[in-house]
Amino acid sequence: MPPVPNPLPRLIVYYQTHHTPSGQHISVLPLTQKEISLTHLIVAAIHINEDPNALTLNDHPPDHPRFTTLWAELRVLQACGIKVLGMLGGAAKGSYMRLDGDAETFERYYAPLAQLVRERGLDGLDLDVEEEMSLRGIIRLIDRLRKDFGPEFIITLAPVATAMTTDLKKYNLSGFDYWELERERGKDIAWYNVQFYCGWGHPSMYSRMARRREREFESLADIDKWPARKLVVGLVTNPGNGNGFVEWQELGSLLVGLAASHESFGGVMGWEYFNSMPGGESEPWRWAQMMTALLRGWTIEPLPEGQQQAAQQKAALNDGEAAIFHTDAYAEEDGHNSVAAPVPGEFEYYSDWAEGA
């Protein structure tokens, strides 16, 4: 069967909280509704532990009975044309440290991961590197995934927004330089799920990061910018999932403006599914439904004239400003009065009901 085309803009949701506190499964089948144009779902979070054969999906082995319904539903999504990826890593550190060792150590820890991808028929992996890793180490992992799973396997990364605009390590959770990675292995990376939240940025940064047109370096302002098709705007779907939640009225105008300004707008991803607004825990699929409407160019509710102009200004590319977006500029846009974006403290990893990315 030929691969499903990769549409733009993408609509992606992360799915890490799989059960309610009482243990009830949180279904993703509503995401297959006709009025929802979900393109990708990323199931999280796969962790490589000290014992190479003790992989976990959050806190339990991937073959634990609690995940029986989850894996069955993910096959239904795939049958509907939605690509399903696994997220490796995230806030709980250790997975990438174990893959960044010598060749023998890499093989020991990589083999069970590859087996999981095969067994579950995943369409790709999202590499969420939130710990120090070397550039050679991430390249080795990407090369091996490409070799083992072929040209249609989707490889993505999930950097914080500031990691895409500066080479300063304090604004980058991953350790390696994303520009260098793109130069060396960009052909193998489908896109970047950029985290514009938790103190790392605001969606209005997108236009300063992305080229307006696909043609390379149309102007000097494009030299240090990313192809828009490779940048996905990452959002928190509920204020409880992290700071930086953008209200729907502002978000609607902003995203419509971005899609209109960039001929190959990369799309939107939401962290995470289970409590997505406006439906919340009872109807989390409504976030994807409303986002589908926005990405199709529809509107939710018109903003008052003054607010609409302000939102459109945030989305517009300012050709008179510097080509490279610096963190002090981000801070001013995000309401921090030109104070550089704070580096969040250590994340605390919770069990299935309330993990963080």
Side-chain angles (χ1 to χ4, degrees):
M1 180 177 178
V4 176
N6 185 21
L8 288 178
R10 307 172 189 93
L11 177 55
I12 304 164
V13 296
Y14 279 84
Y15 178 41
Q16 182 169 29
T17 300
H18 312 132
H19 301 87
T20 67
S22 64
Q24 181 180 355
H25 172 74
I26 299 171
S27 176
V28 291
L29 292 183
L31 292 170
T32 64
Q33 297 177 70
K34 289 183 179 179
E35 65 270 25
I36 297 175
S37 297
L38 190 72
T39 60
H40 302 81
L41 182 138
I42 303 177
V43 61
I46 300 167
H47 300 300
I48 299 173
N49 300 298
E50 185 174 356
D51 178 352
N53 296 308
L55 288 180
T56 50
L57 179 59
N58 296 332
D59 295 330
H60 298 82
D63 60 356
H64 192 282
R66 71 189 280 112
F67 296 129
T68 300
T69 303
L70 177 148
W71 293 120
E73 289 193 354
L74 295 185
R75 289 194 294 273
V76 173
L77 264 62
Q78 288 174 313
C80 293
I82 298 168
K83 297 293 187 181
V84 174
L85 288 72
M87 186 193 96
L88 176 66
K93 296 176 172 58
S95 296
Y96 293 98
M97 174 192 70
R98 296 180 176 104
L99 291 170
D100 202 19
D102 58 33
E104 181 182 356
T105 302
F106 173 82
E107 292 297 334
R108 280 194 292 116
Y109 285 108
Y110 172 80
L113 173 66
Q115 184 62 25
L116 173 63
V117 171
R118 293 189 185 97
E119 287 177 351
R120 299 302 172 181
L122 297 177
D123 297 302
L125 277 182
D126 179 58
L127 308 178
D128 188 359
V129 188
E130 299 190 12
E131 59 183 299
E132 285 283 324
M133 190 178 196
S134 68
L135 180 63
R136 290 298 107 195
I138 193 67
I139 287 176
R140 176 174 61 182
L141 176 58
I142 291 171
D143 287 350
R144 188 58 177 274
L145 290 170
R146 182 62 66 226
K147 177 183 176 183
D148 288 352
F149 296 102
E152 303 303 328
F153 190 75
I154 301 168
I155 301 172
T156 64
L157 286 96
V160 295
T162 48
M164 307 293 279
T165 62
T166 176
D167 59 1
L168 296 176
K169 284 194 173 183
K170 66 179 179 177
Y171 299 116
N172 182 353
L173 295 177
S174 309
F176 54 82
D177 186 320
Y178 278 91
W179 270 112
E180 287 297 325
L181 178 61
E182 176 68 15
R183 276 190 280 266
E184 295 209 31
R185 290 297 184 274
K187 63 182 176 57
D188 290 311
I189 298 169
W191 70 83
Y192 297 90
N193 294 302
V194 185
Q195 299 182 45
F196 288 99
Y197 48 81
C198 288
W200 298 107
H202 184 277
S204 57
M205 291 171 63
Y206 187 94
S207 281
R208 287 205 181 104
M209 293 169 61
R211 299 176 200 145
R212 248 178 147 174
R213 297 174 178 83
E214 278 298 293
R215 292 180 290 280
E216 298 277 334
F217 311 140
E218 185 172 83
S219 68
L220 289 176
D222 283 337
I223 290 176
D224 288 302
K225 293 193 174 186
W226 298 82
R229 62 185 167 79
K230 298 198 76 169
L231 298 182
V232 169
V233 176
L235 305 166
V236 285
T237 59
N238 184 304
N241 297 343
N243 65 49
F245 178 78
V246 182
E247 295 291 344
W248 273 101
Q249 282 197 325
E250 177 187 356
L251 186 63
S253 183
L254 179 62
L255 292 178
V256 169
L258 290 178
S261 299
H262 300 277
E263 64 178 7
S264 297
F265 177 55
V268 180
M269 72 84 163
W271 179 270
E272 62 164 315
Y273 173 68
F274 85 101
N275 62 350
S276 301
M277 301 291 287
E281 294 174 19
S282 62
E283 296 180 321
W285 48 266
R286 289 191 61 203
W287 182 90
Q289 183 184 58
M290 294 180 71
M291 195 60 67
T292 297
L294 286 178
L295 295 179
R296 287 174 176 172
W298 304 342
T299 56
I300 304 302
E301 290 182 13
L303 288 169
E305 184 176 352
Q307 292 182 33
Q308 187 171 7
Q309 290 175 353
Q312 288 172 343
Q313 288 170 0
K314 279 189 173 184
L317 179 67
N318 188 341
D319 293 323
E321 296 190 1
I324 303 175
F325 186 81
H326 296 290
T327 51
D328 57 347
Y330 144 68
E332 186 175 4
E333 277 202 353
D334 203 28
H336 295 291
N337 298 319
S338 298
V339 177
V343 178
E346 291 292 317
F347 287 89
E348 185 174 355
Y349 179 68
Y350 297 92
S351 61
D352 194 31
W353 174 244
E355 305 95 338

